[in-house]
Amino acid sequence: MTAEERTEAIANEVIETGGTWQTPVPGARSCFTIALHGIEAPGIDADSAARHWHIQARAVIGGWPWPDDDPDLRAAQVEWAEMMVYLDPFPVEIRTQAARIAMRWSESRNVQHAARQILKSAEVAA
């Protein structure tokens, strides 16, 4: 899905299921917020809030158990993994899954470094 398609799909789900779609108050310091299915995500605009919501929703349903070689899923997996390696409130199993994906496909050295640290911590804990 493109960013616009994802935002539209989440907006439709909000309408159909009674979630909330809060836009920033003009002239005030606030952000865009989506609350849907028990997950609340902020963003600087609708697309970033939808992306953050989608990443959190993927984590809540168990993440991506392994890196999938399907090129159609790769962009979604990388996007999810690159965010998850920095989000502490999620269980170590989810962050470890994200770290494996990030190590395999992320082109960011910072993300790969964070992923390496997560994987080292998981090895020590095991």
Side-chain angles (χ1 to χ4, degrees), residues 92-93 96 100 118-126:
V92 69
E93 299 84 23
T96 301
R100 286 188 195 116
I118 291 168
L119 293 173
K120 282 180 187 177
S121 296
E123 286 176 15
V124 169

Side-chain angles (χ1 to χ4, degrees), residues 24-89:
V25 176
R29 289 185 155 191
S30 62
C31 64
F32 201 97
T33 305
I34 295 171
L36 178 63
H37 300 305
I39 300 166
E40 187 171 316
I44 60 170
D45 58 22
D47 288 345
S48 68
R51 180 170 58 98
H52 293 155
W53 186 91
H54 186 250
I55 287 166
Q56 289 183 40
R58 172 56 69 176
V60 167
I61 64 168
W64 296 94
W66 56 85
D68 193 313
D69 288 322
D70 181 347
D72 292 334
L73 294 177
R74 189 167 302 154
Q77 283 192 332
V78 171
E79 179 182 64
W80 175 78
E82 288 179 340
M83 182 73 82
M84 289 307 300
V85 297
Y86 294 110
L87 296 177
D88 281 331

